[in-house]
Amino acid sequence: MKQGTTIITLDNGYHLWTNTQGEGDIHLLALHGGPGGTHEYWEDTAQQLKKQGLNVQVHMYDQLGSFYSDQPDYDDPKIADKYLTYDYFLDEVEEVRQKLGIDKFYLIGQSWGGALVQMYAAKYGQHLKGAIISSMVDNIDDYTKHINQVREEALPAEAVAYMKEKEASGDWDDAKYQSYVDVLNDGYVDRKKPAAISHLASTMATAVYNVFQGDNEFVVTGKLKEWNFTDKLKDIKVPTLVTFGEHETMPLDTAKRMAKAIPHARLATTPEGGHHHMIDNAPVYYDHLATFIRDVESDNFKD
């Protein structure tokens, strides 16, 4: 399969940026978070797995609306209604799989991408060897409860009160409010900030992010406010790795419950890892991922 970047044309006429790294007969398709984020924390995944003694072709893409792919005019209500939906992004994964020509592959998704993994494994599981849910809950209420606990522990009481005041008034751009968001990001989302993935301008597709998430990682005001996949976890039949950071925005108690509810799942956690624990503690994160893939490949996977 062609290495490097390929622009694929979807059946709807839009174009997506894709990139393939690594060699071998094992295929891993990586989904980014956000929604509206980019592929960039997956860029060294093939290298990291090779360090673990595993040759894997890693396929990445930026979802529709994200920085490197086409960005529809979401100001048009008809376009927004058609493409800013769970169903669109789920079926986009399947179309990308078809366009790349891969089957019997592994699917990994971070955060929002982890929600897509849950949905894809339940609907299109016949195409998968295994699923990896990285830092994503099955029920958003667990997340919002936990994230409020996190900020109450991380910030002084007066700072939390100030944040809640600004959230109630919708004053998301307030400088002091954003300074507290930065503190929480530094502690629980991006604990390491490698220069290689920094940019002079923001690469976040805010039109997509705002519709699903809201203004920031710590308050959910968009469509994800209704996210609840708990009753459908039983429909995920393929071997599944649930992997969370031990110092992040997502609650570990939920990860433990998910690993029990999915018929064939195991849980692996990353010490000193925040929400982006594939960067914060790459050796441990990729050891867990390589071990999972190796066990599935050798038919030795145990829950």
Side-chain angles (χ1 to χ4, degrees):
M1 182 172 290
K2 177 181 178 293
Q3 303 290 300
T5 296
T6 300
I7 305 299
I8 63 172
T9 303
L10 299 174
D11 293 346
N12 59 27
Y14 288 116
H15 303 88
L16 298 186
W17 179 100
T18 78
N19 187 278
T20 295
Q21 298 291 328
E23 300 176 346
D25 297 328
I26 302 171
H27 295 270
L28 174 70
L29 179 60
L31 308 178
H32 63 70
T38 69
H39 68 282
E40 287 168 299
Y41 40 69
W42 300 126
E43 286 179 341
D44 68 341
T45 295
Q47 287 178 281
Q48 293 287 353
L49 289 171
K50 191 168 186 178
K51 289 179 184 177
Q52 300 290 339
L54 203 59
N55 290 321
V56 177
Q57 286 199 48
V58 178
H59 312 277
M60 301 159 276
Y61 74 97
D62 268 21
Q63 297 159 20
L64 186 66
S66 290
F67 190 76
Y68 295 93
S69 292
D70 277 358
Q71 296 157 21
D73 180 10
Y74 294 124
D75 289 335
D76 183 332
K78 290 183 180 179
I79 292 177
D81 290 346
K82 184 174 182 178
Y83 293 113
L84 293 179
T85 69
Y86 287 105
D87 286 343
Y88 169 74
F89 284 108
L90 169 59
D91 291 338
E92 182 186 80
V93 179
E94 171 58 10
E95 186 172 354
V96 169
R97 177 198 71 79
Q98 294 176 19
K99 299 288 194 224
L100 292 177
I102 59 175
D103 203 359
K104 301 304 179 185
F105 68 106
Y106 294 87
L107 182 66
I108 188 170
Q110 170 67 19
S111 196
W112 154 253
L116 292 175
V117 169
Q118 293 173 55
M119 291 186 286
Y120 187 93
K123 183 176 181 179
Y124 296 109
Q126 70 271 23
H127 296 296
L128 294 177
K129 284 185 175 180
I132 303 97
I133 302 166
S134 183
S135 295
M136 185 58 191
V137 295
D138 60 333
N139 186 325
I140 206 67
D141 288 344
D142 288 3
Y143 168 80
T144 53
K145 180 180 177 181
H146 176 71
I147 205 65
N148 276 287
Q149 292 173 343
V150 163
R151 72 174 177 179
E152 285 173 6
E153 293 169 3
L155 296 172
E158 59 269 23
V160 175
Y162 187 86
M163 290 188 77
K164 290 181 177 179
E165 176 187 328
K166 294 302 175 182
E167 288 159 7
S169 64
D171 192 5
W172 307 104
D173 294 328
D174 177 78
K176 188 175 180 181
Y177 176 85
Q178 288 299 326
S179 72
Y180 293 139
V181 170
D182 290 343
V183 171
L184 294 170
N185 278 330
D186 289 347
Y188 297 92
V189 181
D190 292 308
R191 290 168 65 81
K192 286 187 179 178
K193 297 179 178 62
I197 64 168
S198 64
H199 293 269
L200 296 178
S202 173
T203 59
M204 177 58 71
T206 54
V208 182
Y209 185 82
N210 292 159
V211 166
F212 281 91
Q213 172 74 18
D215 176 77
N216 61 62
E217 290 295 286
F218 304 96
V219 184
V220 182
T221 58
K223 292 184 178 183
L224 278 167
K225 195 172 184 179
E226 307 302 324
W227 169 251
N228 188 338
F229 204 72
T230 303
D231 291 343
K232 298 179 182 178
L233 290 180
K234 65 183 186 300
D235 298 328
I236 300 175
K237 306 299 186 183
V238 298
T240 301
L241 176 66
V242 179
T243 178
F244 278 44
E246 293 182 6
H247 199 79
E248 69 151 285
T249 55
M250 297 287 174
L252 285 176
D253 285 346
T254 298
K256 294 173 184 176
R257 179 179 54 72
M258 290 171 67
K260 290 179 180 178
I262 297 170
H264 306 290
R266 77 167 55 145
L267 172 64
T269 63
T270 305
E272 297 303 317
H275 195 50
H276 293 148
H277 46 127
M278 76 289 289
I279 292 175
D280 296 332
N281 194 343
V284 172
Y285 184 93
Y286 284 106
D287 173 64
H288 291 154
L289 179 55
T291 298
F292 170 74
I293 294 174
R294 198 176 282 116
D295 286 348
V296 175
E297 290 292 310
S298 62
D299 203 26
N300 286 319
F301 177 78
K302 292 182 176 60
D303 302 353

